[in-house]
Amino acid sequence: MTTLLLIRHGETYANRLNYIQGTLNNRLATLTEQGIADAKAYQEVLKHNQIDFAYTSPLKRALVTSKIICNHTNINVRVDSRLSEISYGQWNGTAIADLKRQYTTYFDSETNDVYPHSIEINNGESFAHARNRIWTFVTEISREYPSQTILVVTHGWVIKNIISLCLNNTDGVAFKNPRNLSVSKIQVDPVTGKQKVCYYNRPLKGIGKL
């Protein structure tokens, strides 16, 4: 079985302001001091866990998080564009509260996420396209590393949709976004493709064995 440890990037200024980020890659989407400090806490965790490889989204908030986490280790961090956050098009970098007031029918009131049909007005990436690319990553990595543990630093939408796909859910709107620097764990059988969700959105505090 291939084990994937899915970690959401550290807190950004956009997170703190409750802005929707998507593929935003400017100063708003950089780590806060708290996000940097929290990411550093993983360095101690990695001392007690065997990680064979690490992959990250190319967006700065994930890339910086991955480099902080893997600092002081011999883990080579590899960038894979398939791990990028979904793009919300014209909504990238916009206050979620403003969007919800203006486009009520495009948001789930419980999970605070946009519905797939939001692409009709924001010109973003379709859910189907984004889910296909992230699942291609999962299946290819499981075949390439059939018995290894892979650290994956990526984004909230990406993580919850990987979990959703493992559970045969139609889309990830049913799940709330994982918290910044939480970890979710799945295992994939590289031969049969069968998946197991071990846990979702586990907070960093108190983590010993990943």
Side-chain angles (χ1 to χ4, degrees):
M1 298 287 279
T2 303
T3 299
L4 298 179
L5 300 170
L6 312 170
I7 297 177
R8 188 184 178 196
H9 61 80
E11 180 196 61
T12 66
Y13 292 99
N15 290 147
R16 185 173 288 181
L17 294 168
N18 201 28
Y19 282 17
I20 197 167
Q21 289 183 102
T23 52
L24 193 69
N25 209 29
N26 60 16
R27 186 183 180 282
L28 269 178
T30 57
L31 299 189
T32 63
E33 290 184 6
Q34 186 63 54
I36 292 170
D38 291 342
K40 287 180 178 178
Y42 263 108
Q43 295 173 359
E44 185 64 29
V45 174
L46 259 59
K47 292 179 182 178
H48 308 290
N49 290 271
Q50 174 62 41
I51 305 295
D52 297 298
F53 300 98
Y55 283 84
T56 181
S57 155
L59 295 176
K60 287 188 294 186
R61 58 191 186 272
L63 184 60
V64 170
T65 299
S66 66
K67 289 182 176 180
I68 292 172
I69 290 174
C70 294
N71 196 19
H72 308 305
T73 74
N74 60 358
I75 300 171
N76 181 32
V77 178
R78 304 173 183 182
V79 177
D80 196 304
S81 61
R82 292 173 294 182
L83 295 172
S84 291
E85 182 63 295
I86 190 171
S87 173
Y88 297 102
Q90 297 169 357
W91 291 358
N92 291 335
T94 305
I96 293 175
D98 292 343
L99 290 173
K100 289 179 73 174
R101 279 194 296 269
Q102 189 172 358
Y103 304 106
T104 304
T105 59
Y106 291 92
F107 278 82
D108 184 288
S109 60
E110 293 297 324
T111 63
N112 210 33
D113 197 5
V114 302
Y115 287 120
H117 67 284
S118 61
I119 191 176
E120 297 171 358
I121 58 173
N122 66 21
N123 296 314
E125 182 181 12
S126 74
F127 276 40
H129 182 272
R131 282 161 63 86
N132 180 68
R133 65 172 164 83
I134 62 179
W135 197 245
T136 298
F137 170 83
V138 170
T139 54
E140 287 186 7
I141 289 298
S142 66
R143 294 192 195 107
E144 188 171 355
Y145 307 111
S147 59
Q148 280 95 350
T149 298
I150 314 300
L151 185 72
V152 178
V153 181
T154 182
H155 308 272
W157 189 95
V158 173
I159 293 171
K160 71 177 183 177
N161 275 274
I162 289 175
I163 298 298
S164 170
L165 286 160
C166 287
L167 299 175
N168 297 316
N169 187 265
T170 54
D171 60 61
V173 177
F175 298 90
K176 289 185 177 181
N177 265 346
R179 292 179 291 272
N180 292 113
L181 287 168
S182 65
V183 59
S184 303
K185 179 178 179 179
I186 67 168
Q187 293 180 321
V188 182
D189 187 316
V191 178
T192 66
K194 185 177 180 180
Q195 314 97 33
K196 174 185 178 183
V197 176
C198 302
Y199 52 79
Y200 175 65
N201 195 25
R202 180 176 289 183
L204 173 61
K205 185 177 181 180
I207 288 180
K209 182 67 176 175
L210 290 169

